[in-house]
Amino acid sequence: MEFIKKIPAIRWENGKYEHVEEETVEDENIYFYIDFLQPRKFSTYPADLDDFAVGYCLGDGLIKSVDEIVSIEIDDKKVIIKTVNMHTPEIDLESDDLVQEKEGGAKHACACRLLEYQGVMSDSAGGWRSELKTVEPVESDLVVNATEIIENMKRLTAKAEIWQETGSVHVAQLVYGDQFITREDVSRHVAVDKVIGAAAKAGFDLSQCYVCYSGRMPADMLIKVVRVGIPILVSNAAPAGSGYDIAEKGNITMVGFVRGDRFNLYTATERINLDK
């Protein structure tokens, strides 16, 4: 399997130990060069980088649709992304009323508001709490049976080939009717970006999709989902308080602690049919 390495270890069990070789993933620092913005560094499992690029730009509000990407060039550890929006760095002039001319003639507010393209900043950009009021509720008539949630989380585990081999990655799965996209990465955020990007490239209606993944559900993950319009987020782990606030405000159905034949349903509960 690509990007897998063997490392020595000592395995201890019940007072006995042995020298073994374990498999882990070759994670790399990858740099995104998006239009004229400053480079962004990610620690990632370096596969499906084109999906990651699309999903990241959508989830961070840099584009509204995959059609706004002009080109993606992957050069070793560099991913060069050009969009029709010609994003440029904003200058911190510490004044909300100052504007800066952007290439192409568009104007935007300054003062460190770098990722405000759709009005909500992620935790990684800072300040999500101050932007909570700008979250727009997701509209979707998608309804999913409770038993389907259980079965698709089991399917997620079964399809997590790298995780089964190494235990070193997170896994995400996007469900669209009877179609599935699965991606893995050392970062849960990147794994979700990858399935969002792959789904957007495939032309899926994201308002009729949902995501299952491994890992907690904090604000920055929920903001990503709100931005792209996915109505349901499912995890085997816990929600954070910040994630709950965004899910409630954004009308996202948040399902956590999916383990065995049980789960907890937190918000927008009407999208899960608990009787089936």
Side-chain angles (χ1 to χ4, degrees):
M1 189 177 293
E2 195 176 12
F3 306 120
I4 300 295
K5 68 183 295 185
K6 294 184 182 294
I7 58 174
I10 297 175
R11 180 178 296 154
W12 186 96
E13 184 176 0
N14 295 326
K16 298 180 180 179
Y17 64 90
E18 61 178 331
H19 291 268
V20 297
E21 268 196 341
E22 291 286 329
E23 291 186 327
T24 188
V25 296
E26 290 266 26
D27 54 322
E28 297 279 358
N29 284 332
I30 298 296
Y31 295 84
F32 275 10
Y33 295 82
I34 305 171
D35 295 330
F36 300 103
L37 297 176
Q38 294 296 318
R40 303 177 182 200
K41 182 174 76 171
F42 306 90
S43 177
T44 182
Y45 177 76
D48 304 306
L49 293 180
D50 52 342
D51 293 341
F52 176 25
V54 174
Y56 176 82
C57 288
L58 285 167
D60 257 39
L62 297 172
I63 59 172
K64 292 181 179 178
S65 75
V66 68
D67 296 331
E68 293 184 3
I69 290 185
V70 175
S71 64
I72 299 173
E73 179 185 345
I74 299 172
D75 180 12
D76 191 22
K77 296 179 176 62
K78 295 191 296 184
V79 181
I80 303 165
I81 306 160
K82 295 181 180 179
T83 80
V84 298
N85 302 305
M86 302 290 285
H87 294 286
T88 58
E90 295 186 355
I91 302 171
D92 182 7
L93 297 177
E94 298 183 354
S95 175
D96 285 328
D97 60 354
L98 291 174
V99 294
Q100 171 193 357
E101 283 289 344
K102 186 166 81 171
E103 201 162 316
K107 289 184 177 181
H108 55 230
C110 294
C112 283
R113 306 182 72 81
L114 184 59
L115 294 179
E116 232 181 350
Y117 183 68
Q118 285 183 306
V120 183
M121 291 190 293
S122 68
D123 274 357
S124 59
W128 70 264
R129 287 180 176 84
S130 67
E131 302 298 322
L132 184 61
K133 63 183 180 296
T134 68
V135 172
E136 294 293 333
V138 171
E139 300 296 333
S140 171
D141 60 1
L142 178 65
V143 176
V144 177
N145 293 338
T147 52
E148 180 182 328
I149 295 291
I150 298 296
E151 290 306 311
N152 280 334
M153 185 57 78
K154 293 177 180 177
R155 187 183 186 281
L156 174 78
T157 303
K159 291 294 183 179
E161 297 177 359
I162 302 168
W163 175 80
Q164 289 183 23
E165 188 166 343
T166 69
S168 300
V169 294
H170 285 281
V171 57
Q173 172 182 254
L174 185 137
V175 182
Y176 181 49
D178 60 356
Q179 300 182 72
F180 304 88
I181 296 173
T182 305
R183 296 288 187 267
E184 296 175 83
D185 200 89
V186 293
S187 162
R188 67 181 186 271
H189 288 278
V190 176
V192 171
D193 282 337
K194 286 179 177 180
V195 294
I196 290 172
K201 288 164 54 182
F204 290 3
D205 179 356
L206 295 182
S207 73
Q208 297 299 309
C209 297
Y210 66 96
V211 169
C212 305
Y213 81 106
S214 60
R216 292 188 315 113
M217 295 182 284
D220 46 359
M221 184 63 75
L222 270 296
I223 285 172
K224 188 191 308 290
V225 171
V226 168
R227 279 197 179 112
V228 301
I230 291 175
I232 302 173
L233 186 65
V234 179
S235 174
N236 62 350
S242 61
Y244 178 87
D245 291 342
I246 296 294
E248 191 173 43
K249 180 74 173 180
N251 194 33
I252 299 296
T253 301
M254 186 165 60
V255 184
F257 288 114
V258 185
R259 300 175 184 180
D261 292 321
R262 66 179 178 88
F263 60 76
N264 291 348
L265 176 58
Y266 298 98
T267 53
T269 60
E270 69 278 1
R271 292 199 186 101
I272 306 300
N273 187 342
L274 298 174
D275 297 319
K276 291 186 179 180

